Amino acid sequence: MASNSIKLYLLLILALVRCSKAELGELKETSMTIYFQDQYGGPNATVAQILPENPDGHLSFKKFGAIFCTDDLVTEGFDVSSTQVARAQGVYITSALDGSNTHVLVSIVFNNGEFKGSTLEVQGASAQFERVREVAVVGGTGKFRFARGYVTFETIHINSAANLAVIQCNITVLHY
């Protein structure tokens, strides 16, 4: 009797695994380039320093323990007026004593185009003063279900007068 119940149990597990795979479909690779429009000051700022508070309003990215919240516009092209595809919402924490690394926790929330309603979850250490920074994609939803991969960030334009930085984000992910 024990032998039959073990066989039945194994068959049930096999059926569940088979059904789960059938729903997910084939593993896909998606690569794209998008642009974070990082408004770091002024009345329309999309980045705010949470701790420590700076009375002068300037952001102190090098200060160990500094915490920032962001809700950047994400566009299809370099120009801020190009088509919006997402918002980059999350936090950055300066996590290295010397200020060289931030810990990034960002959700790229797609609100337009092919991936509307989907998200990518980006997390990891970012060498913030390097020209190109690489951070892991640790998950996703919608069309990016079970995503894993990486993003590279490169600040390609800074307009100090407008308090605007444009960050090119190259994404490569595997997903179902």
Side-chain angles (χ1 to χ4, degrees):
M1 181 69 178
S3 175
N4 284 339
S5 55
I6 290 173
K7 287 179 186 176
L8 183 61
Y9 181 69
L10 289 174
L11 267 170
L12 180 61
I13 289 174
L14 183 60
L16 287 172
V17 169
R18 182 77 176 153
C19 289
S20 296
K21 277 189 167 184
E23 287 179 28
L24 292 175
E26 293 296 313
L27 187 63
K28 297 175 245 182
E29 180 176 322
T30 298
S31 295
M32 71 178 91
T33 299
I34 55 180
Y35 298 86
F36 288 24
Q37 306 292 333
D38 195 41
Q39 193 74 45
Y40 56 86
N44 298 318
T46 60
V47 177
Q49 185 167 343
I50 308 303
L51 289 173
E53 291 184 41
N54 267 351
D56 64 4
H58 290 95
L59 304 178
S60 58
F61 291 103
K62 292 182 181 180
K63 180 151 181 60
F64 175 66
I67 301 173
F68 305 87
C69 188
T70 187
D71 184 7
D72 284 349
L73 169 68
V74 179
T75 58
E76 193 172 74
F78 168 83
D79 193 78
V80 71
S81 64
S82 69
T83 303
Q84 178 179 344
V85 293
R87 300 296 298 196
Q89 300 169 330
V91 295
Y92 304 91
I93 302 166
T94 304
S95 56
L97 287 171
D98 65 358
S100 61
N101 277 334
T102 58
H103 190 79
V104 176
L105 299 159
V106 172
S107 298
I108 301 173
V109 181
F110 290 89
N111 54 22
N112 194 13
E114 179 184 357
F115 303 113
K116 183 178 182 177
S118 301
T119 66
L120 284 171
E121 302 304 320
V122 178
Q123 177 182 339
S126 175
Q128 67 173 330
F129 300 112
E130 295 294 322
R131 188 177 67 77
V132 177
R133 289 94 54 205
E134 183 175 312
V135 181
V137 172
V138 298
T141 64
K143 292 189 177 180
F144 294 116
R145 189 167 286 139
F146 291 115
R148 62 187 183 275
Y150 66 97
V151 301
T152 60
F153 295 113
E154 181 177 1
T155 305
I156 58 172
H157 177 73
I158 295 177
N159 180 340
S160 297
N163 295 312
L164 176 69
V166 180
I167 302 164
Q168 181 175 300
C169 177
N170 298 303
I171 302 170
T172 300
V173 290
L174 298 174
H175 59 95
Y176 288 98

